Amino acid sequence: MGIIKVMIVDDDALIRDSLQLILDMEDDFQVIGTAINGQEALTLCEERLPDIVLMDVRMPVMDGVMGTRYLREQFPEVKVVILTTFKEENYIKEALKHGASGYILKSQPAESIVETLRSVAKGSMVLEAEVASSLTAFIDDRQKADPEAFQVTAREMTVLELIGAGFSNKEIAMQLHLSEGTVRNHISALLEKLALRDRTQLAIFYLKHF
């Protein structure tokens, strides 16, 4: 994996500067720009196309949830990690629904934030432990689904389960002794059969129904 290009979006200048300082100390990260709200982030994405956008939730003009929605619609290859001090369940659900690949708290240690971004860059979906626990009601309210009803094969079900557990394509390939190309084919088949947009929605589908 080469240099990971990151954009930092937060209306607090201290947070932006602190995060940039943390990432600038890492050899595999490059901060390609900062923005103070979701609207600025969209404009900057057009110019510089980051790999990951580290997005605050509560900002003026356009908040992080709407910023995530529009950014993922316009730049589906860009991953979004929500960064916030808030553990409110609605924010988590909405951010995930709109395609966020991770959700972490500003109270996390610097090294934990860095590792989260590395994991997301590799294709994993990452939730900070405290945040994941607040999804309990969302997950426990799930309705069981029958894979056969969706014509999902046993192998595809295994891939779906590993996506739900946060594994990247490379990790799934190693676990199942498959090529990454084969894993991508299984994911494409799952997306088509389940009428979903991306692997984040696959993970949420798995958590809600299995």
Side-chain angles (χ1 to χ4, degrees):
M1 185 172 60
I3 300 297
I4 304 167
K5 296 182 293 183
V6 179
M7 180 194 301
I8 300 168
V9 187
D10 199 302
D11 61 330
D12 187 326
L14 180 60
I15 296 293
R16 291 197 307 273
D17 292 345
S18 298
L19 287 169
Q20 180 159 2
L21 183 63
I22 289 168
L23 295 178
D24 282 345
M25 294 175 65
E26 304 295 326
D27 294 336
D28 54 341
F29 284 95
Q30 177 188 4
V31 177
I32 54 94
T34 62
I36 63 172
N37 57 55
Q39 186 169 300
E40 276 197 12
L42 287 170
T43 301
L44 201 56
C45 268
E46 290 184 25
E47 299 172 1
R48 306 183 188 180
L49 200 64
D51 298 309
I52 297 176
V53 173
L54 192 51
M55 181 96 73
D56 188 26
V57 166
R58 292 195 173 182
M59 297 178 291
V61 183
M62 183 185 292
D63 66 22
V65 172
M66 292 308 296
T68 298
R69 174 185 172 182
Y70 292 130
L71 197 149
R72 291 287 296 158
E73 287 176 354
Q74 296 180 39
F75 310 98
E77 68 274 32
V78 176
K79 299 177 174 66
V80 178
V81 175
I82 297 294
L83 177 73
T84 185
T85 57
F86 302 96
K87 292 183 286 185
E88 297 172 17
E89 185 178 324
N90 286 341
Y91 281 120
I92 299 170
K93 288 183 185 178
E94 288 301 306
L96 293 175
K97 184 175 74 176
H98 293 312
S101 296
Y103 193 114
I104 56 181
L105 301 179
K106 292 178 181 177
S107 57
Q108 282 182 249
E111 60 269 22
S112 177
I113 292 174
V114 168
E115 286 308 313
T116 291
L117 294 179
R118 286 193 179 113
S119 295
V120 168
K122 293 176 182 176
S124 296
M125 180 180 177
V126 181
L127 297 176
E128 194 273 335
E130 289 182 70
V131 173
S133 68
S134 72
L135 280 171
T136 301
F138 175 50
I139 296 170
D140 286 349
D141 195 31
R142 64 191 182 272
Q143 297 178 343
K144 293 291 185 179
D146 179 5
E148 291 185 5
F150 296 97
Q151 297 182 313
V152 172
T153 67
R155 176 61 84 188
E156 289 167 352
M157 189 63 212
T158 303
V159 171
L160 180 62
E161 180 180 356
L162 292 171
I163 290 172
F167 286 89
S168 67
N169 287 2
K170 184 176 181 180
E171 290 167 334
I172 294 172
M174 291 177 63
Q175 187 113 336
L176 301 181
H177 306 289
L178 301 172
S179 70
E180 287 189 58
T182 300
V183 172
R184 286 193 294 270
N185 289 340
H186 284 313
I187 291 173
S188 295
L190 284 165
L191 291 171
E192 183 175 350
K193 290 177 179 181
L194 301 177
L196 299 175
R197 185 181 63 238
D198 52 39
R199 68 184 296 120
T200 300
Q201 290 191 346
L202 284 174
I204 295 171
F205 183 89
Y206 176 78
L207 292 174
K208 288 184 69 175
H209 295 290
F210 299 104

